[in-house]
Structure formats: structure tokens, C-alpha cells
Amino acid sequence: MNQKYVITGGPGTGKTSIIRELSNRNFFCVKENARDIVFSRNSKVDKLSSFIHYENKISDLRTKSYAITPNNQICFFDRSVFDCLAYLKIKKIEVSSQIKKNINSCIFNKKLFFTPLWPEIYHNDKIRTESITEAKKIEKTLLETYKSFGFKPIMIPKDKVSKRVDFIISFLNLKKK
């Protein structure tokens, strides 16, 4: 049974906090790597070729992270290569062959843990600059993209981080750690 689970959702919905708590509970977790590629909205990333380059780079990092995860234990991922597809779709940019190849290299469990938009915790920072309206569009596109690949979204309730993690663990019929 595939034990590699994606936790995704729009920006600012608590994914990273959930991943951090799962890690604190001794689960193998892969953190979001898009923030590792530092850029600002004033840079050239908004230009078509730069955006494709940016998504290709994120896709490559996510694929490399996937490749080094163990197959014999549960792993949680803060986003996946499928998120790249959604972001390209929003920008109306064709998916590169590089990203298609990476998607074929990353096989996840079809149970998708999804963090819904939560305006009360949403805030912008240097990298997360999307408005709530843009965040809703990202959320919708992410759901459509994952569903198109056969994923079954499981909505994580809006609650304290510990309760959200308890929900994930209970959904997988695991004992609390």
C-alpha cells in the first residue's frame, strides 16, 4: 500500500504548521520547497519564461525530495509536483515535458489531505502575496487538478494544529504518537 500522502491547499491555509506538527510526532515529512527559491513579485518571475523556469525548478526539487523518501513508512508531503500543474493552469501556461516527467516519477496515495481556505489565519508575507480572491482561485484549481488525476480530497477541519493532525492520524487509522 502506498504510504506517501500529500497535504495541499491554497496559500496560507496552515499546511506548513501541520507538517511541522506531524514531524514533531515522528512522522517522515517533506517540507514545502517553493519558499527555498527566493524571489519577489518585482522580479522577472511574473514574465512567462521566468514563471515556467520557476515551476520547473520547484518540480525538480519536489521530485528529488520524493525520490529520497522511504517506501516502508508513512510520509507526508507539503505540496507535490501536482501543485505545479495547478499554478501553470492559472497562468494559462502549457505544462513542460520536464514537469510531466516528474509527475510520472512521483506516485502518491490517492487520499489527498486538503487544507481549505481559512481567511481568519490567512496573511501575506514577502513571498505569499496573493489576495484572498486569488487564493480562492488557487484552491479551486488545485482541487480540480488533483481530482483529474484520481485523488480523493479529504478536507482537514479548521481547528488548532494539534486537532488537525489528530484528524489526519485518525483518518488513516493510526495511533497517536
Side-chain angles (χ1 to χ4, degrees):
M1 180 180 146
N2 188 325
Q3 298 185 89
K4 297 183 181 196
Y5 296 92
V6 177
I7 298 173
T8 195
T13 56
K15 296 174 297 297
T16 301
S17 296
I18 290 169
I19 288 290
R20 191 176 308 117
E21 179 64 17
L22 283 163
S23 183
N24 288 342
R25 294 189 193 192
N26 298 316
F27 286 99
F28 190 98
C29 297
V30 177
K31 70 179 185 98
E32 163 66 282
N33 53 24
R35 286 182 168 264
D36 294 341
I37 304 169
V38 179
F39 71 91
S40 72
R41 284 290 190 203
N42 296 330
S43 71
K44 297 179 182 177
V45 79
D46 286 328
K47 292 186 179 170
L48 190 66
S49 63
S50 294
F51 193 80
I52 292 167
H53 175 74
Y54 174 73
E55 288 299 332
N56 282 339
K57 194 168 186 177
I58 291 171
S59 173
D60 286 346
L61 284 172
R62 289 177 178 161
T63 302
K64 286 175 186 170
S65 295
Y66 177 92
I68 62 170
T69 59
N71 289 320
N72 60 348
Q73 71 185 73
I74 293 173
C75 302
F76 292 100
F77 295 78
D78 186 345
R79 299 195 180 272
S80 80
V81 292
F82 292 93
D83 288 63
C84 296
L85 292 176
Y87 280 87
L88 289 171
K89 184 176 181 180
I90 288 166
K91 294 275 191 183
K92 296 178 174 48
I93 299 172
E94 190 173 330
V95 178
S96 69
S97 58
Q98 183 176 344
I99 291 175
K100 288 177 185 176
K101 179 183 170 203
N102 287 342
I103 284 172
N104 291 328
S105 301
C106 300
I107 310 300
F108 295 97
N109 189 293
K110 294 300 182 181
K111 290 178 185 172
L112 173 71
F113 292 101
F114 199 89
T115 55
L117 186 61
W118 191 356
E120 291 80 11
I121 68 166
Y122 185 84
H123 69 276
N124 294 111
D125 60 25
K126 288 180 182 178
I127 295 173
R128 184 187 307 120
T129 60
E130 299 90 350
S131 67
I132 289 288
T133 302
E134 290 169 318
K136 286 179 186 177
K137 185 175 183 178
I138 292 167
E139 176 180 77
K140 180 180 183 245
T141 307
L142 283 166
L143 279 169
E144 289 169 355
T145 300
Y146 276 94
K147 285 179 181 178
S148 75
F149 282 88
F151 285 87
K152 307 288 184 221
I154 300 160
M155 294 298 173
I156 299 173
K158 298 173 186 175
D159 206 336
K160 291 188 279 185
V161 174
S162 62
K163 298 280 188 191
R164 297 177 102 188
V165 169
D166 290 345
F167 171 82
I168 292 167
I169 292 169
S170 69
F171 200 92
L172 297 178
N173 296 318
L174 301 173
K175 292 181 181 177
K176 275 187 175 179
K177 292 191 176 194

